[in-house]
């Protein structure tokens, strides 16, 4: 059964949200390489992978934020899957759609985003240290 393995917070001003979440929750947040992506550690490194220790990231929003008064403007959760291709195909067959096509996350795996039939976005990640 796929488990929640990652979440992302899309931000108009990533540095501002980095400071907000560090101060609010004490999360450790640092930029990943030279990309506009900040890795979030929600627990000490020795407890990562245990129940409740899901880590995430902050990245620049890829479009306008939800309109003022919109019902939801949320984090994107990512599920660990055996095959990104198979899971994306199944999501489409069940009435979902592709939000962001499969792409490599070097040294991590293959990532894709889908929309459920109601338009909610979720990620799927296939572990593959050789992804490039």
């Amino acid at each position: 059964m796929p488990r929640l393995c990652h979440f992302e917070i899309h931000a108009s001003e990533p540095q501002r949200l980095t400071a907000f979440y560090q101060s609010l929750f004490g999360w450790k947040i640092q930029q990943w390489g030279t990309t506009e992506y900040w890795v979030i550690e929600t627990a000490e490194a020795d407890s990562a992978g245990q129940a409740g220790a899901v880590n995430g990231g902050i990245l620049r929003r890829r479009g306008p934020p939800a309109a003022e008064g919109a019902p939801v403007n949320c984090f994107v959760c990512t599920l660990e899957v055996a095959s990104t291709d198979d899971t994306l195909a199944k999501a489409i067959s069940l009435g979902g759609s592709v939000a962001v096509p499969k792409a490599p996350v070097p040294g991590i795996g293959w990532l894709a985003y889908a929309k459920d039939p109601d338009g909610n976005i979720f990620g799927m990640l296939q572990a593959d240290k050789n992804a490039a």
Side-chain angles (χ1 to χ4, degrees), residues 51-121:
V54 176
N55 293 324
I58 296 175
L59 68 155
R60 185 165 300 281
R61 189 179 307 284
R62 295 179 177 162
E68 186 68 33
V72 176
N73 189 21
C74 61
F75 295 1
V76 172
C77 293
T78 299
L79 296 115
E80 184 176 37
V81 297
S83 168
T84 302
D85 291 326
D86 292 347
T87 307
L88 193 55
K90 187 172 182 178
I92 292 166
S93 76
L94 294 169
S97 61
V98 176
V100 178
K102 179 180 113 173
V105 178
I108 304 293
W110 297 95
L111 178 67
Y113 295 97
K115 289 184 181 180
D116 68 18
D118 201 31
N120 298 301
I121 296 176

Side-chain angles (χ1 to χ4, degrees), residues 15 19 22-23 30 43 50 59 78 85 89 104 116:
Q15 293 88 345
Q22 283 175 322
S23 296
Q30 54 188 350
Q50 294 179 7
L59 68 155
T78 299
D85 291 326
D116 68 18

